[in-house]
Amino acid sequence: MPTDSGQSKVASRATRGLLGLSMLVLFFALSPTRQMAWAGQTTHVIIVVIDGPRDSECFEDPQHLYVPRIWNTLRPLGYVSHSFYNTGVTTTVPGHSTVASGTWQSMPDDGTVRPDRPLIWEYLRDQTGVPDRSIALVTYKTKLRALSYSTAAGYGPPDSSYVIGPTWDDGISLQRLLTHLATYQTTLSMISFAGPDVMAHQEDWNGYVGAIARADSLTAFLWNWLQSHSVYARHTALFVTADHGRHTTDWINHGDACAGCRHLPFLALGPDFLSGVEASAPPADQRDIAVTAAGLLGIAMPYAQGRFMSELLRDQSDVPPWTLDVDPSALRVCPSPARDEISVRLGAPAGGARWLATLYDVQGRRLTVQEIPGSRLAGGAVLSRPPGLPEDAVTYLELRPVQGSDSRRWTRPVIWLR
Ligand SMILES: [Zn+2]
Ligand SMILES: [Zn+2]
């Protein structure tokens, strides 16, 4: 196991050098003003991905003809972004993979290639040990089964989601998700409504907009069902978005960089979110959903590139402490050929907290896990790097405060060292 070998290497603090190794000195700042207490209510997350609706048929339609329930009933309860995008590959598998991994994914759109970065449910299972039934991935299309787990080292089948589908029908998809939610305490779900994309490719306009209207009804039904269920009511965050849009000038197809393909609907509902907000700034993209969901659930996504969408929060001064942003411009790297160590310094005191510092290599393996008092970290703690490991093999440093048995106190983002 990567963790075990990493921890055994922690003990080895011998400085080796001689191989052009370097010492990295990192300076970065954590805001000292944010509280370490997080009063969030979210314990469950559901991500609804509508496959291929152009936003001109969804939220940007002035009449909201095909999304009346989401627009009239759900929107007042949540946060709508008019600046939400897929700026990566605008096809189905890459779009869903980006939402699930918090990284841009650009594999073929046929389900033969899995995501190469860990998916949010892999992090969740890895960090909390919940069984696969705590996660539901519900798909209309066969090819999305490739999202059950990634090919990232240290993750994979043991951290897989439970997969429902292909169902070949959006109504059956919802029915099966609700059965699963009612049977198992499900921490995290992703459901893909594919009717709009399927009908559009069949060049059936009425079928296309009808499928959007059906996804609209099913999403509203889902939200209402959640409010009637004691486990999920008042504790569930719901994200509604799309994997991609469709060409601005051709609703049948999609897949390029035009505005129609890139611009996506976005709605977030939940106990920690603002309600009745429609915003055009700040812009956000598909990578941000998993990172935000992970922040709410208290898990770390060391390889994700997205940002925690603090603009969604009801109390914007109460950002989860494990999502604290680190200013990359404050990061400084000082090579030293003689040392086999990494020095870390916080720009602001970390208080009395104890911190876990984890180094990861390019393959996603944990190299070392070291516990450091906050006072020492602020003064410039030295982390050992496994002997003989080139400096550029270290790609991530993760810091999280240790607060007794509270496993929700993770920091992110991870520092990008190179
Ligand atoms: Zn398509
Ligand atoms: Zn296009």
Side-chain angles (χ1 to χ4, degrees), residues 173-214:
S173 290
L174 181 64
Q175 201 172 52
R176 293 193 58 186
L177 174 61
L178 296 184
T179 301
H180 190 92
L181 292 172
T183 310
Y184 307 101
Q185 292 226 3
T186 312
T187 306
L188 176 63
S189 312
M190 178 186 277
I191 182 167
S192 171
F193 290 136
D197 191 64
V198 170
M199 299 310 290
H201 285 302
Q202 292 177 13
E203 307 185 17
D204 177 350
W205 172 263
N206 290 333
Y208 164 58
V209 295
I212 293 174
R214 190 150 184 247

Side-chain angles (χ1 to χ4, degrees), residues 186-322:
T186 312
T187 306
L188 176 63
S189 312
M190 178 186 277
I191 182 167
S192 171
F193 290 136
D197 191 64
V198 170
M199 299 310 290
H201 285 302
Q202 292 177 13
E203 307 185 17
D204 177 350
W205 172 263
N206 290 333
Y208 164 58
V209 295
I212 293 174
R214 190 150 184 247
D216 174 68
S217 294
L218 295 171
T219 302
F221 190 96
L222 169 61
W223 178 255
N224 291 333
W225 185 93
L226 294 168
Q227 304 323 302
S228 71
H229 196 290
S230 60
V231 170
Y232 302 102
R234 295 177 299 283
H235 293 290
T236 303
L238 178 72
F239 294 90
V240 182
T241 190
D243 54 348
H244 57 77
R246 316 198 77 76
H247 297 318
T248 308
T249 55
D250 164 21
W251 59 272
I252 294 167
N253 296 302
H254 62 88
D256 64 6
C258 78
C261 285
R262 293 220 179 283
H263 193 255
L264 307 178
F266 177 88
L267 168 68
L269 302 167
D272 297 314
F273 296 155
L274 290 165
S275 54
V277 173
E278 277 185 64
S280 297
D285 67 55
Q286 287 182 311
R287 299 171 302 172
D288 303 336
I289 290 181
V291 171
T292 304
L296 296 171
L297 295 174
I299 57 173
M301 294 187 63
Y303 301 99
Q305 304 154 340
R307 69 175 175 86
F308 183 84
M309 297 175 70
S310 57
E311 67 271 24
L312 302 181
L313 294 181
R314 195 181 286 276
D315 179 355
Q316 297 194 13
S317 67
D318 191 25
V319 175
W322 48 89

Side-chain angles (χ1 to χ4, degrees), residues 49 51 136-145 162-180 190-195 198 214 218:
V49 182
D51 189 339
L137 170 63
V138 189
T139 177
Y140 172 126
K141 293 176 173 175
T142 307
K143 60 189 179 183
L144 287 184
R145 292 184 62 91
Y162 184 75
V163 182
I164 297 169
T167 65
W168 306 111
D169 182 275
D170 289 337
I172 292 174
S173 290
L174 181 64
Q175 201 172 52
R176 293 193 58 186
L177 174 61
L178 296 184
T179 301
H180 190 92
M190 178 186 277
I191 182 167
S192 171
F193 290 136
V198 170
R214 190 150 184 247
L218 295 171

Side-chain angles (χ1 to χ4, degrees), residues 17-278:
L18 305 177
L19 293 172
L21 301 179
S22 314
M23 176 176 169
L24 307 178
V25 180
L26 313 175
F27 295 94
F28 52 91
L30 290 178
S31 163
T33 58
R34 286 167 169 163
Q35 299 173 351
M36 291 308 289
W38 159 241
Q41 299 297 306
T42 304
T43 50
H44 300 77
V45 171
I46 299 180
I47 303 169
V48 171
V49 182
I50 305 174
D51 189 339
R54 195 167 52 179
D55 210 15
S56 52
E57 280 81 66
C58 296
F59 293 2
E60 307 306 325
D61 168 14
Q63 296 182 290
H64 306 101
L65 214 50
Y66 313 116
V67 289
R69 290 171 185 82
I70 290 177
W71 194 257
N72 297 321
T73 308
L74 301 190
R75 175 189 51 92
L77 307 175
Y79 182 109
V80 165
S81 170
H82 290 291
S83 301
F84 194 82
Y85 302 96
N86 175 344
T87 57
V89 178
T90 56
T91 55
T92 298
V93 176
H96 284 82
S97 299
T98 296
V99 170
S101 69
T103 64
W104 292 123
Q105 293 287 310
S106 57
M107 69 282 282
D109 193 28
D110 58 9
T112 59
V113 179
R114 290 180 179 274
D116 65 1
R117 289 292 185 223
L119 304 164
I120 180 172
W121 38 85
E122 295 182 279
Y123 292 114
L124 177 66
R125 293 198 62 197
D126 183 57
Q127 292 168 27
T128 67
V130 295
D132 66 345
R133 306 273 170 157
S134 296
I135 295 141
L137 170 63
V138 189
T139 177
Y140 172 126
K141 293 176 173 175
T142 307
K143 60 189 179 183
L144 287 184
R145 292 184 62 91
L147 269 68
S148 55
Y149 58 85
S150 72
T151 57
Y155 297 89
D159 297 320
S160 174
S161 65
Y162 184 75
V163 182
I164 297 169
T167 65
W168 306 111
D169 182 275
D170 289 337
I172 292 174
S173 290
L174 181 64
Q175 201 172 52
R176 293 193 58 186
L177 174 61
L178 296 184
T179 301
H180 190 92
L181 292 172
T183 310
Y184 307 101
Q185 292 226 3
T186 312
T187 306
L188 176 63
S189 312
M190 178 186 277
I191 182 167
S192 171
F193 290 136
D197 191 64
V198 170
M199 299 310 290
H201 285 302
Q202 292 177 13
E203 307 185 17
D204 177 350
W205 172 263
N206 290 333
Y208 164 58
V209 295
I212 293 174
R214 190 150 184 247
D216 174 68
S217 294
L218 295 171
T219 302
F221 190 96
L222 169 61
W223 178 255
N224 291 333
W225 185 93
L226 294 168
Q227 304 323 302
S228 71
H229 196 290
S230 60
V231 170
Y232 302 102
R234 295 177 299 283
H235 293 290
T236 303
L238 178 72
F239 294 90
V240 182
T241 190
D243 54 348
H244 57 77
R246 316 198 77 76
H247 297 318
T248 308
T249 55
D250 164 21
W251 59 272
I252 294 167
N253 296 302
H254 62 88
D256 64 6
C258 78
C261 285
R262 293 220 179 283
H263 193 255
L264 307 178
F266 177 88
L267 168 68
L269 302 167
D272 297 314
F273 296 155
L274 290 165
S275 54
V277 173
E278 277 185 64

Side-chain angles (χ1 to χ4, degrees), residues 252-414:
I252 294 167
N253 296 302
H254 62 88
D256 64 6
C258 78
C261 285
R262 293 220 179 283
H263 193 255
L264 307 178
F266 177 88
L267 168 68
L269 302 167
D272 297 314
F273 296 155
L274 290 165
S275 54
V277 173
E278 277 185 64
S280 297
D285 67 55
Q286 287 182 311
R287 299 171 302 172
D288 303 336
I289 290 181
V291 171
T292 304
L296 296 171
L297 295 174
I299 57 173
M301 294 187 63
Y303 301 99
Q305 304 154 340
R307 69 175 175 86
F308 183 84
M309 297 175 70
S310 57
E311 67 271 24
L312 302 181
L313 294 181
R314 195 181 286 276
D315 179 355
Q316 297 194 13
S317 67
D318 191 25
V319 175
W322 48 89
T323 68
L324 289 176
D325 278 340
V326 173
D327 178 2
S329 66
L331 190 69
R332 208 172 81 193
V333 179
C334 297
S336 163
R339 305 290 292 277
D340 194 10
E341 295 170 331
I342 292 172
S343 174
V344 181
R345 181 172 299 172
L346 290 179
R354 297 184 67 79
W355 296 72
L356 280 183
T358 309
L359 296 177
Y360 293 84
D361 75 2
V362 287
Q363 264 101 41
R365 290 184 291 246
R366 295 182 194 88
L367 299 171
T368 66
V369 183
Q370 295 163 67
E371 191 171 326
I372 310 169
S375 53
R376 243 187 73 203
L377 198 55
V382 175
L383 308 180
S384 62
R385 188 168 62 224
L389 187 82
E391 167 210 316
D392 61 6
V394 178
T395 55
Y396 292 97
L397 164 66
E398 172 193 279
L399 286 170
R400 67 183 176 94
V402 179
Q403 298 281 335
S405 59
D406 188 348
S407 63
R408 288 180 54 125
R409 300 189 180 274
W410 295 86
T411 54
R412 90 146 309 289
V414 165

